[in-house]
């Protein structure tokens, strides 16, 4: 009889320990869940703050060039055809902006908050010859100084072999990059532009200037 009572007491003690363990486990899970939520919240907060600071610093950078491309080049895309007379509508503005971001790394779009030493107002024209499977490109640029005056007009031309029916965006991107690099070279080798452009003001010309160019 005593053995049975002792076993019951041990069982009760064990059940109490299990119950306490469940309470502690539940509390720890709740605590860890709350801490995880807090850590995630702080992580998101600091990420957003870092992005805002980075954007603000980048927005106020004095770039070499601010790039202006009239919106009409996207609103009125050009129509190019291949040898089968299959047509492709090309938004020159968007493709040229994308090419400029990599071909001219120290440049930014001419918009509010961006400052640059020179403004390049670009006028792109491309043509495709299906018989020669060749893209022909012309890029005209008006170059404005920090006083908002046109100091030079530059024109560059180049070509690129490629098939318009096979990822034509890649071929056009390569052609635009060739034209932009040639334009950059002409600007850097032009003594008149370099003399005027080397005299930088504290921040240069601000991007809202290009609102007058549209």
């Amino acid at each position: 009889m005593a053995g049975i009572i002792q076993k019951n007491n041990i069982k009760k003690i064990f059940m109490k320990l299990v119950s306490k363990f469940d309470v502690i486990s539940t509390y720890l899970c709740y605590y860890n869940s709350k801490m995880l939520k807090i850590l995630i919240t702080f992580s998101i907060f600091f990420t957003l703050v870092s992005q805002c600071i980075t954007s603000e610093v980048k927005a106020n950078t004095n770039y070499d060039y601010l790039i202006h491309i009239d919106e009409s080049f996207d609103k009125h895309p050009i129509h190019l055809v291949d040898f089968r007379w299959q047509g492709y509508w090309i938004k020159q503005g968007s493709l040229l902006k994308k090419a400029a971001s990599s071909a001219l790394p120290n440049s930014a779009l001419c918009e509010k908050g961006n400052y640059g030493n020179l403004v390049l107002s670009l006028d792109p024209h491309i043509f495709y010859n299906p018989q020669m499977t060749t893209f022909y490109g012309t890029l005209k640029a008006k170059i404005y100084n920090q006083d908002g005056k046109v100091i030079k007009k530059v024109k560059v031309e180049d070509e690129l072999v490629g098939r318009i029916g096979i990822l034509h965006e890649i071929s056009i991107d390569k052609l635009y990059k060739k034209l932009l690099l040639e334009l950059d070279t002409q600007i850097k080798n032009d003594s008149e532009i370099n003399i005027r452009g080397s005299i930088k003001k504290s921040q240069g010309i601000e991007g809202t200037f290009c609102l007058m160019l549209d």
Side-chain angles (χ1 to χ4, degrees):
M1 184 69 179
I4 293 173
I5 293 173
Q6 187 176 6
K7 286 182 179 180
N8 289 334
N9 289 335
I10 293 172
K11 185 176 180 180
K12 288 179 181 179
I13 293 171
F14 178 75
M15 292 301 294
K16 286 182 180 179
L17 289 174
V18 170
S19 178
K20 288 183 179 179
F21 178 77
D22 288 340
V23 171
I24 293 172
S25 298
T26 301
Y27 174 76
L28 288 175
C29 289
Y30 175 77
Y31 177 77
N32 289 335
S33 177
K34 294 288 287 185
M35 287 300 296
L36 182 60
K37 288 180 180 179
I38 292 172
L39 289 173
I40 291 174
T41 301
F42 273 107
S43 176
I44 294 172
F45 172 76
F46 284 117
T47 299
L48 291 173
V49 170
S50 299
Q51 288 177 348
C52 289
I53 293 173
T54 302
S55 298
E56 184 66 23
V57 170
K58 185 175 181 180
N60 291 309
T61 300
N62 192 3
Y63 296 95
D64 286 342
Y65 307 126
L66 293 185
I67 306 298
H68 170 262
I69 303 166
D70 196 281
E71 293 182 358
S72 63
F73 289 104
D74 274 353
K75 291 181 179 178
H76 305 288
I78 61 170
H79 191 244
L80 304 180
V81 296
D82 60 16
F83 68 94
R84 296 170 298 180
W85 293 100
Q86 181 175 345
Y88 301 86
W89 292 98
I90 311 297
K91 292 185 176 182
Q92 296 186 91
S94 296
L95 292 173
L96 183 55
K97 287 177 183 177
K98 180 182 176 183
S101 66
S102 56
L104 304 175
N106 197 21
S107 67
L109 294 179
C110 192
E111 57 189 23
K112 183 179 179 181
N114 289 334
Y115 295 83
N117 189 33
L118 296 171
V119 170
L120 306 183
S121 183
L122 303 179
D123 186 353
H125 294 278
I126 54 176
F127 169 75
Y128 183 71
N129 186 331
Q131 293 180 335
M132 302 295 292
T133 61
T134 301
F135 292 90
Y136 298 90
T138 300
L139 191 61
K140 298 178 182 178
K142 287 183 181 179
I143 304 172
Y144 295 83
N145 65 6
Q146 296 173 24
D147 295 321
K149 298 178 180 178
V150 177
I151 58 174
K152 196 84 173 182
K153 293 182 180 181
V154 179
K155 177 181 177 181
V156 291
E157 296 177 314
D158 212 322
E159 60 187 64
L160 182 80
V161 175
R163 294 187 177 276
I164 193 171
I166 304 176
L167 300 175
H168 58 268
E169 294 89 351
I170 295 177
S171 295
I172 294 173
D173 179 71
K174 290 180 179 179
L175 178 57
Y176 278 151
K177 286 177 180 176
K178 289 179 68 177
L179 294 168
L180 288 164
L181 290 174
E182 290 175 25
L183 175 63
D184 184 45
T185 300
Q186 282 200 32
I187 291 174
K188 289 178 178 177
N189 291 336
D190 191 303
S191 59
E192 184 179 8
I193 297 175
N194 278 335
I195 290 172
R196 295 182 183 183
S198 63
I199 306 172
K200 295 187 178 182
K201 296 180 181 178
S202 58
Q203 288 185 310
I205 190 169
E206 201 265 340
T208 51
F209 162 77
C210 288
L211 293 176
M212 297 185 296
L213 303 181
D214 291 329

